């Protein structure tokens, strides 16, 4: 399987090249030259073990470069936590994606990427430097996945004052090969700095830089797995299924679209947004109007220029094509708090702000006439937003031990401005 850039369909790259580069040389994002289709029936897939299904789904994308036995070893090593779908009634289920080591869905992509990158880097003679822009959970998942991995150095960029206390502790308490940058700006500024570094020939000629954001194709592939798992667990119970995806940089939604194509899933999607509603406007008008992000309670979705929209629009260029199976709605912080309270009172179940936005999107879809059973992607454990939960529900959920340990550690960061030259100077000092 080869890959092309969203900005140039004529030049092809191998899977390892796409993973190691992260971003295409022309600034585009990588996509497979064709979307493979798994020919097994749902019943045949259900007879396989979880790890057998994962390996089967990912194999077409990596087949030429990672032997089957090595791929199976990778997926059994990285997916050592469950994928659970909880059904509450005829309308709603929640796909719990927070059972990994950092309590967020990013563990799926980050752990797989770490293992695949180390697999390829071991065959090279240059140290690998991974740049990661994060609005919350990506950075900690990547840091945890790559911590102590020989030959790989990780630099995390997060917006100052725009992540929760618990998220910041998860981002800034590593040592060894992990360095955290506190950027005096927004997530969009962090993402812009990372992209600028990849386009800087003086840096790229001297250092081997790559990304672990959802712009990296190896982050998306394993995320498609949990859509399939949830679909298989429910498709015999409900006539039609819909996924409500809390959306920011649109990586999670892109993974869902890959899953839909891979298995020809009979499902639709709701892209549930906070007040950063660029994608909703794009679906409604066909016009991409990027702008500075707005700070909200669902901070991992505070993205005013979603990178993966370039992938989505390339995959589905036809007029009205996306709108045939994707709808999108946005919601305020006030509505988010109301949703947390409503879901707890109705089901005695605590959801974080991102999941609450997903619930609101699913609810709006039903109100607008959808007959599909709504699967809400729960992207983070509610304790990661403890102050929001305590204020909304007047309860204090128990903090898992693996998180409680992090809260006692000392914060260590490199402070930097949002201008590229000051960031570059800091970066060079870090990686030399």
């Amino acid at each position: 399987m080869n890959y092309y850039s969203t900005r140039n369909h004529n030049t092809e790259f191998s899977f390892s090249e796409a993973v190691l580069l992260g971003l295409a040389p022309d600034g585009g994002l990588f996509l497979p030259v064709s979307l493979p289709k798994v020919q097994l029936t749902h019943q045949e897939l259900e007879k396989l073990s979880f790890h057998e299904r994962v390996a089967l789904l990912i194999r077409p994308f990596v087949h030429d470069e990672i032997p089957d036995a090595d791929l199976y070893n990778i997926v059994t090593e990285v997916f050592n936590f469950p994928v659970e779908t909880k059904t509450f009634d005829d309308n709603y289920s929640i796909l719990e994606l927070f059972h990994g080591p950092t309590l967020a869905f990013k563990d799926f992509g980050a752990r797989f990427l770490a293992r695949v990158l180390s697999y390829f880097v071991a065959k090279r003679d240059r140290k690998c430097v991974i740049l990661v822009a994060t609005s919350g959970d990506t950075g900690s998942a990547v840091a945890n996945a790559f911590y102590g991995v020989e030959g790989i150095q990780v630099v995390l960029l997060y917006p100052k004052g725009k992540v929760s206390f618990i998220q910041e502790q998860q981002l800034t308490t590593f040592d060894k090969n992990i360095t955290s940058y506190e950027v005096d700006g927004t997530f969009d500024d962090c993402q812009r700095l990372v992209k600028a570094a990849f386009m800087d020939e003086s840096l790229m000629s001297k250092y081997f830089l790559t990304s672990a954001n959802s712009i990296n194709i190896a982050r998306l592939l394993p995320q498609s797995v949990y859509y399939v798992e949830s679909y298989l667990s429910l498709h015999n119970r409900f006539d039609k299924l819909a996924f409500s995806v809390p959306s920011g940089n649109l990586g999670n939604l892109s993974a869902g679209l890959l899953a839909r194509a891979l298995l020809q899933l009979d499902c639709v999607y709701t892209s549930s947004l906070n007040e950063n509603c660029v994608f909703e406007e794009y679906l409604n008008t066909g016009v991409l109007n990027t702008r500075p992000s707005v700070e909200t309670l669902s901070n991992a979705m505070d993205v005013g220029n979603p990178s993966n929209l370039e992938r989505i629009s390339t995959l589905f260029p036809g007029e009205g094509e996306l709108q045939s199976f994707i709808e999108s709605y946005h919601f305020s912080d006030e509505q988010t708090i109301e949703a947390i309270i409503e879901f707890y009172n109705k089901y005695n179940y605590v959801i974080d702000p991102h999941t609450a936005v997903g619930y609101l999107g699913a609810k709006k879809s039903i109100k607008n006439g959808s007959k599909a059973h709504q699967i809400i992607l729960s992207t983070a454990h509610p304790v990661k937003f403890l102050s929001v939960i305590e204020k909304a529900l007047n309860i204090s959920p128990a903090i898992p031990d693996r998180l409680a340990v992090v809260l006692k550690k000392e914060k260590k960061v490199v402070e930097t401005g949002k201008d590229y030259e000051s960031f570059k100077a800091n970066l060079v000092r870090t990686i030399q």
Side-chain angles (χ1 to χ4, degrees), residues 26-58:
D26 59 8
L29 281 65
F30 287 111
L31 281 171
V33 294
S34 62
L35 291 179
K37 290 180 171 53
V38 173
Q39 299 303 323
L40 296 185
T41 66
H42 295 156
Q43 291 73 24
E44 289 171 325
L45 283 169
E46 289 165 0
K47 292 178 182 178
L48 302 177
S49 71
F50 170 58
H51 291 123
E52 287 172 336
R53 274 194 299 275
V54 174
L56 177 73
L57 295 172
I58 295 177

Side-chain angles (χ1 to χ4, degrees), residues 107-128:
D107 286 321
F108 287 88
R111 287 170 65 81
F112 179 79
L113 174 60
R115 188 67 176 80
V116 168
L117 259 178
S118 61
Y119 183 89
F120 291 137
V121 167
K123 302 176 182 180
R124 293 181 168 236
D125 59 1
R126 276 201 298 167
K127 184 178 183 179
C128 176

Side-chain angles (χ1 to χ4, degrees), residues 47 55 96 156 164 187 204 206 213 276 298 379 391:
K47 292 178 182 178
E96 295 183 343
L156 309 173
S164 74
F187 169 74
M204 294 299 289
K206 189 173 183 181
N213 280 85
N276 297 279
S298 48
T379 54
K391 185 176 180 179

Side-chain angles (χ1 to χ4, degrees), residues 49-120:
S49 71
F50 170 58
H51 291 123
E52 287 172 336
R53 274 194 299 275
V54 174
L56 177 73
L57 295 172
I58 295 177
R59 184 177 297 130
F61 298 96
V62 306
H63 180 66
D64 294 338
E65 296 184 83
I66 303 179
D68 290 352
D70 289 347
L71 178 61
Y72 186 77
N73 289 337
I74 288 172
V75 300
T76 54
E77 178 184 324
V78 301
F79 299 124
N80 59 355
F81 49 91
V83 178
E84 296 185 7
T85 302
K86 292 189 176 180
T87 300
F88 294 89
D89 54 29
D90 288 342
N91 288 328
Y92 303 113
S93 290
I94 279 190
L95 173 53
E96 295 183 343
L97 301 175
F98 49 71
H99 294 292
T102 70
L103 309 178
F105 83 101
K106 303 294 179 71
D107 286 321
F108 287 88
R111 287 170 65 81
F112 179 79
L113 174 60
R115 188 67 176 80
V116 168
L117 259 178
S118 61
Y119 183 89
F120 291 137

